[in-house]
Amino acid sequence: GCVLNGKLYPFGHIERTEDCYTCTCSQTEMGCCSLFHTPVAYDNKKCKVVFNKERCDYDVVEKKNPSKECFVYSRV
């Protein structure tokens, strides 16, 4: 298998790792892509970014009231 961040994964396609990546593991290499998109354009004075590991995505919420979501203009 392949080791990613200290965890052993089997050869073949890995739908989702613990760190929110999808990977392909072979005897010679391991290739991975993220399942999340990083927010890059939002009101960073009023809002903060929090990683949601259940959904494998970032939430952008108000700093003063994290129960309120903020509008995100762009993600990469």
Side-chain angles (χ1 to χ4, degrees):
C2 298
V3 176
L4 179 66
N5 295 329
K7 180 162 167 84
L8 179 65
Y9 291 94
F11 289 123
H13 179 72
I14 301 145
E15 193 71 32
R16 177 180 165 173
T17 68
E18 287 183 353
D19 297 326
C20 296
Y21 288 88
T22 183
C23 301
T24 302
C25 170
S26 73
Q27 290 182 333
T28 57
E29 65 184 5
M30 184 173 194
C32 299
C33 293
S34 67
L35 293 170
F36 50 88
H37 297 93
T38 306
V40 291
Y42 60 93
D43 184 348
N44 59 4
K45 291 181 182 174
K46 179 180 164 186
C47 305
K48 65 180 179 177
V49 175
V50 179
F51 191 69
N52 183 326
K53 208 167 188 177
E54 276 185 29
R55 292 188 309 110
C56 284
D57 203 2
Y58 288 98
D59 294 329
V60 181
V61 296
E62 289 185 5
K63 291 177 182 177
K64 290 184 179 178
N65 185 357
S67 66
K68 288 188 178 179
E69 287 189 40
C70 295
F71 184 76
V72 178
Y73 302 98
S74 178
R75 292 178 184 256
V76 293

